[in-house]
Amino acid sequence: MLYLVEHFYSIQGEGAFVGTPSLFFRFGGCNMKCEGFGCIEEAEDGTKVLGCDTVYAVNKEHFSHNWVEIDKVNMLIAIVESYDLPNGVDIVLTGGEPLIYANDALFIGFLEKLHSMGHRITFETNGSLAVDFELYPIYKECIFALSVKLSNSHERESKRIKPDVINSIATHSKMSFFKFSIDAESINLGLEEEIRDITQHAPFIKVYCMPLGGDKVQIEKNTEPLIEFCKAKGYNFSDRLHIRIWDANKGV
């Protein structure tokens, strides 16, 4: 059983493919909370839930009304076919954490069908959950944006950094890259060392740094300090174009 929280056709706002038309599938569930990101979402009952900027795809307790049960591959393919899409448009699988379903037969079937239809598949993942590339070779045809969490997420290091998983994904996937969320305050708190410790597990892939925040005000606050950090360290700056354009709106 999979849980789908939302789907929408937009442009990719982050990482290596910024500006690329993409159909997003946001799956429900995650192995982390990332309360350090400081984003607050108000549930229907008035409860304010702290977490990342997609906490509604993480916290099923308070946002279950958004979580749709998926028990057939055709349910997901029907969504793809409901859009008037260009041939082979990018499909982005995000969350939450989509790789909590990495070994699910339904999920594998969905990936195989997407690939057979000519779509490029990108995972947005925290890079802490293993993928079996030999048992499920479809993953070798996928791209992985490794958004490994830093200490500013307030998740413990042993949970958020899995060296063997990072190296395996970077080595066996069709393409992968690191994508870090960074706030201005963290830049002077040993952040460079953190990034270096993580990227050493896959030093052959590119590093993108993007401003942390769930709305336009936060993004703009963190942008200029981060650009200077990227210039000094040689990292790639990635905007969060969807937030800069549409602010905190969902489905964009």
Side-chain angles (χ1 to χ4, degrees):
M1 179 72 70
L2 311 180
Y3 288 97
L4 183 65
V5 175
E6 62 180 346
H7 55 85
F8 54 92
Y9 183 47
S10 186
I11 57 170
Q12 174 59 268
E14 304 172 348
F17 301 108
V18 168
T20 304
S22 303
L23 177 58
F24 290 80
F25 283 83
R26 187 178 305 284
F27 291 96
C30 191
N31 61 328
M32 298 187 193
K33 295 183 178 179
C34 296
E35 294 180 343
F37 289 166
C39 298
I40 297 175
E41 184 88 10
E42 185 170 333
E44 286 188 336
D45 64 2
T47 301
K48 293 184 178 180
V49 184
L50 177 67
C52 66
D53 59 347
T54 56
V55 66
Y56 58 93
V58 175
N59 187 299
K60 188 171 184 289
E61 177 184 358
H62 291 100
F63 300 98
S64 61
H65 59 283
N66 292 327
W67 294 40
V68 177
E69 293 185 355
I70 303 293
D71 59 7
K72 293 182 177 63
V73 173
N74 286 344
M75 294 174 67
L76 296 171
I77 298 303
I79 293 172
V80 177
E81 294 176 340
S82 71
Y83 288 90
D84 183 16
L85 300 172
N87 291 333
V89 73
D90 282 17
I91 305 290
V92 179
L93 308 181
T94 186
E97 172 50 60
L99 290 182
I100 64 172
Y101 302 111
N103 299 314
D104 188 291
L106 194 160
F107 196 65
I108 299 299
F110 179 45
L111 299 179
E112 291 173 341
K113 181 63 175 177
L114 289 176
H115 182 61
S116 72
M117 294 168 69
H119 296 287
R120 181 169 65 180
I121 304 168
T122 298
F123 280 95
E124 296 189 342
T125 173
N126 59 38
S128 69
L129 298 177
V131 174
D132 193 329
F133 287 92
E134 297 307 315
L135 185 60
Y136 307 116
I138 184 61
Y139 285 114
K140 295 180 182 179
E141 304 297 331
C142 298
I143 295 168
F144 290 78
L146 293 168
S147 297
V148 181
K149 302 312 172 196
L150 301 169
S151 60
N152 60 7
S153 68
H154 292 181
E155 294 285 351
R156 68 179 185 275
E157 182 175 339
S158 61
K159 183 177 182 180
R160 58 187 171 80
I161 302 177
K162 302 291 185 180
D164 291 346
V165 173
I166 293 170
N167 182 265
S168 176
I169 291 176
T171 300
H172 295 100
S173 61
K174 184 175 183 178
M175 174 186 171
S176 58
F177 54 91
F178 287 111
K179 189 177 68 172
F180 298 105
S181 298
I182 299 174
D183 59 291
E185 289 76 13
S186 296
I187 290 175
N188 297 320
L189 298 176
L191 192 68
E192 179 188 2
E193 184 176 349
E194 276 194 64
I195 293 175
R196 188 168 58 247
D197 287 346
I198 293 170
T199 58
Q200 70 174 329
H201 304 302
F204 46 88
I205 65 175
K206 290 185 176 181
V207 178
Y208 291 83
C209 298
M210 58 188 188
L212 188 151
D215 58 43
K216 188 184 297 187
V217 171
Q218 291 176 303
I219 292 299
E220 292 180 349
K221 173 186 175 183
N222 291 318
T223 291
E224 288 194 24
L226 182 57
I227 288 174
E228 293 304 315
F229 175 75
C230 289
K231 286 164 59 180
K233 306 304 178 185
Y235 298 135
N236 299 290
F237 173 79
S238 167
D239 204 353
R240 304 188 75 187
L241 191 58
H242 55 300
I243 298 177
R244 196 176 296 279
I245 295 172
W246 293 293
D247 209 352
N249 290 329
K250 298 182 179 67
V252 292

